[in-house]
Amino acid sequence: MIRIGRRSALAIPGLILADRAFAQGNGGQGAPANYPQGYQEVVSAAEKEGSLLVYSIMSAENWRPVLEGFNRRYPKIKVETLDLPNSREVFERYLAERGTNSRSADLLATADPSGWIEFQRRGEVMPYESPEAAAWPAWAKPWPGVYTISADPLVFIFNKMLVPEAQQPKSFAQFVQLAQENKSRWRNKITSYGAHNGGFGYSANFGFVQKHGDQAWDWFKQLAPVQPRWERSGGPMTEKVTSGEYVAGWFVSAITFWPRLDDPARARILGWNFMNDGQLVILRGMAIPKGARNVNAAKLMLDYLASPEGSAAFGRGGLTPAHPKVEPGNGIRHTYSSIAKAVGGEQNIAFIDYKPEMLSGYDAFIDRWKQVYGVS
């Protein structure tokens, strides 16, 4: 039997006060009153299941506000999350365990558009219709059963001591111009995700090209003589921009970067901006896999995460709520709606979403990207 590996066991006890009246007789707040007749049967079945296992790439801190809220609502369900090291492993682990009929995830949550495309094509997504579905735009529910947890932006970051305020880019066109004007000072000192280094970097570059077409390739060609350096994750980029090894980065994961600004010393050094000519956002999907054992518990969690309350909870945990009704504040730095407003409207958003070309065009895209940047 395949072993699950390290888990973040984050079941948070429901605090039941003797003088507190609950909306349902199940020992917790229960499902929202506007849910369809018969939903209490799902709740009762989930309580009989008693547990829920989630595979994701989110940390314990990302999940904590979600689980606190979920367990106030459904205290009889123990939730365990497995924080996997990369987005593709969420699918690979589930499929390996399903193939041997081992215990596996009841709910999957990850930012890997191409992985979701493959998973959907395999017929592994349970086509569940959430009571929350009507509130979501079409881009946030690409197939029956797949819903968007968050729409996380990729941004410019820079060392404010090395990049004067007048040169802190607010558009990709401006960034390219600044790189050319500062070629000698910026050579080998700008960074991003390499498209050749993994799925995240590929998705970011692909999404930007989908938005801008040949203009994006021309911008990449103009950046190439500055000899960018490629990283696999946002953490090293942030550390090296802080130290001055890099002056700036682009397409950097904001949910990796923003928490660093809670340190006042870093905040004096680090700055960031959105891209007002094609702000990338990567869609973080969730779905119940067909091999889920505790299907009803998974439905409760999916519905909670698809609700304004659950979406806001993930926002307090550091993600970027995609729900149209969630606004910044109360521990939420930005939402999809606030990002769209900041860059001048949805027409200036570049989605990293679920286009089939992301799979079919992979080899040709990587070959062209390597050629443009001179990467062997």
Side-chain angles (χ1 to χ4, degrees):
M1 179 174 179
I2 298 174
R3 297 187 65 185
I4 294 298
R6 65 184 182 91
R7 283 185 186 167
S8 299
L10 296 178
I12 298 182
L15 301 179
I16 304 177
L17 305 181
D19 61 346
R20 184 171 180 178
F22 292 100
Q24 302 286 342
N26 63 358
Q29 295 172 344
N34 64 341
Y35 273 24
Q37 186 176 5
Y39 193 84
Q40 184 57 38
E41 295 177 8
V42 178
V43 176
S44 297
E47 290 176 344
K48 289 179 181 178
E49 292 168 350
S51 65
L52 173 67
L53 175 59
V54 184
Y55 287 0
S56 82
I57 58 169
M58 284 84 85
S59 71
E61 288 307 309
N62 294 144
W63 277 104
R64 193 172 304 282
V66 170
L67 298 186
E68 288 172 350
F70 183 82
N71 277 276
R72 282 193 297 270
R73 190 172 293 281
Y74 306 113
K76 295 182 180 180
I77 300 171
K78 178 183 178 182
V79 183
E80 295 179 279
T81 68
L82 177 61
D83 174 18
L84 291 163
N86 62 70
S87 56
R88 188 52 57 101
E89 190 170 341
V90 169
F91 301 111
E92 292 174 347
R93 180 180 287 258
Y94 163 80
L95 290 170
E97 291 164 347
R98 178 157 160 74
T100 58
N101 201 32
S102 301
R103 177 72 172 105
S104 192
D106 304 306
L107 185 70
L108 306 181
T110 185
D112 184 359
S114 61
W116 282 114
I117 294 168
E118 291 178 338
F119 201 66
Q120 169 68 15
R121 286 179 177 177
R122 294 178 68 119
E124 288 289 347
V125 174
M126 183 177 293
Y128 172 61
E129 178 77 6
S130 171
E132 301 286 347
W136 288 87
W139 58 260
K141 45 183 183 180
W143 304 289
V146 177
Y147 296 85
T148 297
I149 292 176
S150 63
D152 299 318
L154 309 185
V155 299
F156 293 120
I157 68 171
F158 40 81
N159 185 309
K160 293 187 290 188
M161 308 299 167
L162 302 174
V163 182
E165 185 174 357
Q167 295 189 352
Q168 295 169 4
K170 295 182 179 179
S171 71
F172 204 82
Q174 181 189 12
F175 178 66
V176 171
Q177 181 181 350
L178 290 168
Q180 291 180 315
E181 292 173 353
N182 294 277
K183 187 183 300 183
S184 60
R185 293 194 306 111
W186 285 19
R187 183 174 282 114
N188 291 313
K189 299 193 69 148
I190 58 174
T191 187
S192 189
Y193 300 96
H196 61 313
N197 279 342
F200 197 90
Y202 168 64
S203 298
N205 282 272
F206 180 90
F208 197 70
V209 169
Q210 284 285 299
K211 176 68 173 177
H212 287 292
D214 287 340
Q215 176 63 76
W217 289 113
D218 185 58
W219 280 331
F220 294 168
K221 186 176 180 179
Q222 293 177 60
L223 283 178
V226 190
Q227 298 176 354
R229 292 164 60 186
W230 310 111
E231 299 285 353
R232 294 178 181 271
S233 64
M237 295 184 206
T238 301
E239 294 303 320
K240 292 176 184 180
V241 170
T242 305
S243 71
E245 183 176 342
Y246 298 148
V247 297
W250 75 99
F251 300 170
V252 180
S253 171
I255 65 168
T256 300
F257 175 79
W258 282 339
R260 268 68 169 188
L261 300 180
D262 293 337
D263 176 359
R266 284 183 183 270
R268 287 193 292 270
I269 297 171
L270 294 172
W272 68 277
N273 280 324
F274 291 128
M275 301 178 189
N276 61 25
D277 57 356
Q279 174 55 54
L280 284 168
V281 294
I282 187 164
L283 304 187
R284 191 178 298 262
M286 64 175 170
I288 302 169
K290 281 195 172 177
R293 294 188 183 178
N294 294 343
V295 173
N296 293 288
K299 288 178 180 179
L300 297 189
M301 178 61 82
L302 186 149
D303 295 339
Y304 180 71
L305 290 173
S307 72
E309 179 184 334
S311 187
F314 251 145
R316 293 192 300 275
L319 303 188
T320 310
H323 197 290
K325 293 184 179 180
V326 179
E327 297 293 338
N330 298 317
I332 301 171
R333 189 183 294 268
H334 270 289
T335 68
Y336 170 76
S337 298
S338 72
I339 293 168
K341 183 178 180 180
V343 299
E346 283 196 344
Q347 71 274 13
N348 293 324
I349 296 290
F351 287 110
I352 306 171
D353 54 11
Y354 308 97
K355 293 181 174 65
E357 299 87 346
M358 186 177 292
L359 286 180
S360 60
Y362 177 82
D363 290 336
F365 186 96
I366 292 296
D367 288 345
R368 185 173 181 182
W369 187 92
K370 286 182 174 181
Q371 183 179 20
V372 166
Y373 279 113
V375 175
S376 57

